[in-house]
Amino acid sequence: MSDRSHLFSLRAGHALRDVLAEGYSLNKLGKDLLAGITVGIIAIPLAMALAIASGVAPQYGLYTAIIAGLVIALTGGSRYSISGPTAAFVVILYPVALKYGLSGLLIATVLSGVLLLVMAFMRLGRLIEYIPESVTLGFTGGIAVVIATLQVKDFFGLPIAAMPEHFVDKLLILGQMLPQLSWPSLLVAVVTLAVMLLWPRLKTIIPAHLPALFIGTLLALLLLGFGAELDTIGSRFSYTTPDGASGSGIPPYLPYFDWPWLRPGPDGELLGFSWQLVKDLLAAAFAMAMLGAIESLLCAVVLDGMSGRRHSANSELFGQGIGNIITPFFGGITATAALARSSANFKAGAQSPVAAMVHALVLLLGLVLLAPVLSYVPMAALASLLIIVAWNMSEAPKAVHLLKTAPRSDIWVFITCFSLTVLFDMVIAITAGILLAALLFVKEIAEMSKVTDISHNRKQVEQPIPTGWQVLKISGPLFFAAADRIFADIARLSERSRGLVLYMDGVPLLDAGGLAALNKLISKCHKSKTQLVIADLQFQPLKTLAKAGVKPVPGQLSFYPTLREALETLYQQAAAAEDQDG
């Protein structure tokens, strides 16, 4: 399939179909099995940690990675992407879970899936590329700060029942409770963090967070044996079995189907389903869909660069939409492609989406077989893991480079997105960031449009022009933000001129705003009895004028294909006028 068809194609299971069409061998299956097992093991603690950070029990993160990982791999457009819960969503999901409980979060996820499908059917996949880097770096940096702030509570073992929704309130309560820190929790967190920072120096294929969590858990068990108090997954979370018995930690059961609005709401009460609830959750769902689209397509672009393959952007949006619609009915929260896990998948030798499906099955086995063991993982160790995740996703070196080298407008966009993400929410941050970037871009493009008097430029105007005439060269697009200024400047010149020649070979665009401004100039010249000559129009402006019915008016308005022809006619008219006077 050609690159162009990949850009605009939309079909379910695009990536899987491409692989099968090329031929899928036992050798490729073996590589996919190895890669899937590797990433599945990596994903187990990450899925739990991200669910907890999002305000829900850890098993819902595993359900997300299992169901979404399988469904999106089957239906999406990227060969190597691994989908599941990601750190980027924490800043959106946590406030929703805090206010509406698991039930509201699942309903919002279904709505985000529907929006992703709409984006796919509207072929908006490639439009994500038009979001400036200053916007993406701004909100990912802001998300990283929020995630890291949420981990301070468990890192220090602070006795805070629930974190407030707003960032400033979070800082205030953390500052107030810091004197009550738990030294055992802090010790486990610091040791886990140290292992994660030092492990990469050993240059092994084992990712740092696995040995770090293992050592952190062993240390926690040792401290618990000496009577220390430490929060673990087992002590923090509990569940009820189908026969009514209760258990601690993670339920060792497969994900089961249930209506999202019948899951626990705030304080364990049922929310029920209503259109008012849908309207209340729509803003959060929009932010989830936008962020999911950006994350999944940026991940696919990075994987294309690593593999030399091409993903189908619209098919990937389709897969993400289907995955986020189905997953909540099995208890899973919002999912998107995760760059760290996807990169690990490719580096482990993945050949096709089958590796992502194997990863989902490994998580399923881990849920059933390892649930009792996972209950011993300390919350402080998971907090350290998420702090490293936050640092990695912040892309701090890129942000610093942007602040040092980018134009002032990009720096303002970055600061705006970063600040709004931290202080308010992603909906405001993404909307304001894109609008600000668009306005600043329009301003910069408008400033590129200019008018220059070339009447005495002998390279372009070889002979002196008749008295009272001027030749003006217009450069740049004449759109709504630039045309009024350009034609207003020309109109002032027309008041003291017999005639004006507008040389427009440097004008690639004339929009409705530019057309209106040109018509004002034509009327102004008519009133001041100034003759207007337009020369060397490019195709788009010429087509716009023809469609608008702008025609030559003898003695007032004329058009010429080249500047040379316009000037030759002008010289001939001047010579004829002199002969007539003589």
Side-chain angles (χ1 to χ4, degrees):
M1 186 174 289
S2 70
D3 283 353
R4 185 171 176 81
S5 61
H6 270 77
L7 292 179
F8 301 103
S9 62
L10 170 58
R11 57 177 182 164
H14 177 98
L16 189 58
R17 290 186 187 189
D18 267 7
V19 169
L20 295 178
E22 293 172 1
Y24 191 70
S25 63
L26 286 176
N27 181 50
K28 289 183 177 180
L29 175 60
K31 291 180 178 179
D32 279 337
L33 287 171
L34 182 60
I37 292 169
T38 302
V39 181
I41 294 170
I42 293 171
I44 290 174
L46 284 171
M48 295 191 302
L50 292 168
I52 294 168
S54 300
V56 297
Q59 63 265 26
Y60 299 114
L62 294 171
Y63 297 163
T64 307
I66 293 166
I67 304 299
L70 183 64
V71 172
I72 296 173
L74 277 169
T75 59
S78 177
R79 294 187 182 215
Y80 309 108
S81 291
I82 301 287
S83 293
T86 64
F89 279 120
V90 169
V91 69
I92 307 174
L93 305 191
Y94 184 81
V96 176
L98 195 65
K99 187 174 183 179
Y100 298 99
L102 175 66
S103 179
L105 188 54
L106 298 184
I107 294 171
T109 300
V110 174
L111 294 175
S112 73
V114 173
L115 292 173
L116 283 165
L117 280 185
V118 171
M119 293 167 67
F121 286 120
M122 291 178 67
R123 303 297 200 275
L124 298 181
R126 307 313 299 185
L127 293 183
I128 300 299
E129 295 179 354
Y130 295 108
I131 297 177
E133 186 179 41
S134 53
V135 174
T136 55
L137 284 178
F139 70 68
T140 53
I143 290 168
V145 170
V146 174
I147 293 172
T149 304
L150 288 171
Q151 305 320 305
V152 173
K153 167 182 170 288
D154 287 327
F155 191 93
F156 289 96
L158 304 180
I160 301 173
M163 292 287 282
E165 181 178 350
H166 299 293
F167 182 74
V168 175
D169 294 333
K170 290 184 180 78
L171 294 182
L172 289 174
I173 195 169
L174 288 172
Q176 291 170 3
M177 302 302 291
L178 194 58
Q180 301 182 43
L181 64 86
S182 165
W183 289 106
S185 293
L186 180 58
L187 178 61
V188 170
V190 169
V191 169
T192 304
L193 190 62
V195 174
M196 291 191 69
L197 293 174
L198 296 174
W199 185 264
R201 296 185 181 183
L202 299 179
K203 301 187 183 304
T204 69
I205 60 171
I206 301 172
H209 70 270
L210 293 179
L213 284 179
F214 180 73
I215 293 171
T217 302
L218 288 181
L219 178 59
L221 291 174
L222 181 64
L223 293 172
L224 287 169
F226 283 101
E229 292 186 4
L230 271 168
D231 252 357
T232 63
I233 288 178
S235 66
R236 176 76 62 86
F237 300 99
S238 61
Y239 61 91
T240 303
T241 63
D243 57 6
S246 60
S248 60
I250 298 173
Y253 306 120
L254 300 177
Y256 62 92
F257 179 91
D258 200 0
W259 301 107
W261 47 89
L262 297 181
R263 300 274 184 174
D267 302 322
E269 299 178 2
L270 293 182
L271 271 181
F273 182 84
S274 68
W275 287 113
Q276 183 58 47
L277 179 62
V278 171
K279 287 192 286 186
D280 292 343
L281 291 170
L282 202 54
F286 173 77
M288 292 175 191
M290 282 297 296
L291 188 57
I294 293 168
E295 284 279 300
S296 59
L297 295 183
L298 286 179
C299 177
V301 168
V302 171
L303 291 170
D304 284 353
M306 295 170 65
S307 64
R309 299 283 186 175
R310 295 286 293 176
H311 73 284
S312 168
N314 295 309
S315 301
E316 180 64 8
L317 288 182
F318 177 84
Q320 294 291 334
I322 294 294
N324 279 285
I325 290 173
I326 293 175
T327 301
F329 288 90
F330 293 88
I333 59 176
T334 318
T336 189
L339 181 56
R341 275 161 276 169
S342 301
S343 299
N345 181 46
F346 176 75
K347 291 175 182 176
Q351 300 293 304
S352 74
V354 173
M357 300 176 203
V358 173
H359 137 272
L361 296 177
V362 170
L363 281 159
L364 188 66
L365 289 174
L367 173 65
V368 175
L369 301 177
L370 300 179
V373 176
L374 296 175
S375 297
Y376 292 108
V377 175
M379 300 302 299
L382 290 178
S384 293
L385 168 61
L386 286 176
I387 287 173
I388 295 295
V389 169
W391 170 257
N392 290 336
M393 77 165 295
S394 71
E395 295 191 277
K398 278 189 180 180
V400 171
H401 179 72
L402 182 141
L403 290 172
K404 288 181 177 179
T405 61
R408 186 175 299 177
S409 58
D410 285 324
I411 294 173
W412 278 115
V413 170
F414 170 81
I415 292 172
T416 300
C417 287
F418 179 87
S419 303
L420 290 176
T421 302
V422 171
L423 296 175
F424 296 99
D425 59 51
M426 283 292 300
V427 181
I428 296 173
I430 292 177
T431 305
I434 292 176
L435 286 176
L436 181 59
L439 289 173
L440 290 172
F441 176 75
V442 167
K443 177 178 177 291
E444 289 176 0
I445 295 299
E447 289 173 350
M448 292 172 62
S449 299
K450 59 184 179 179
V451 58
T452 309
D453 188 344
I454 60 170
S455 303
H456 305 291
N457 186 333
R458 291 295 170 253
K459 290 183 179 179
Q460 294 171 304
V461 182
E462 297 176 355
Q463 303 176 39
I465 59 174
T467 304
W469 280 81
Q470 286 180 280
V471 182
L472 305 175
K473 178 178 175 60
I474 305 176
S475 303
L478 292 176
F479 66 115
F480 63 92
D484 276 337
R485 171 177 57 83
I486 295 294
F487 287 125
D489 290 343
I490 296 172
R492 283 192 290 272
L493 294 173
S494 71
E495 295 174 357
R496 55 181 185 272
S497 301
R498 286 176 52 199
L500 297 173
V501 178
L502 303 185
Y503 179 34
M504 297 179 64
D505 79 319
V507 178
L509 172 72
L510 181 72
D511 73 350
L515 179 63
L518 178 58
N519 282 326
K520 288 180 186 178
L521 174 64
I522 293 171
S523 298
K524 176 78 173 177
C525 290
H526 176 66
K527 290 177 183 178
S528 62
K529 297 183 178 180
T530 302
Q531 188 175 345
L532 192 61
V533 176
I534 298 177
D536 215 335
L537 283 166
Q538 291 192 34
F539 177 75
Q540 194 279 336
L542 183 61
K543 181 181 176 182
T544 301
L545 291 174
K547 188 175 180 181
V550 179
K551 297 179 180 179
V553 179
Q556 294 179 15
L557 175 65
S558 54
F559 296 89
Y560 292 90
T562 65
L563 178 62
R564 180 181 292 275
E565 290 180 59
L567 292 176
E568 285 178 355
T569 304
L570 181 59
Y571 297 143
Q572 291 170 6
Q573 290 175 353
E578 287 179 6
D579 292 342
Q580 188 174 5
D581 291 341

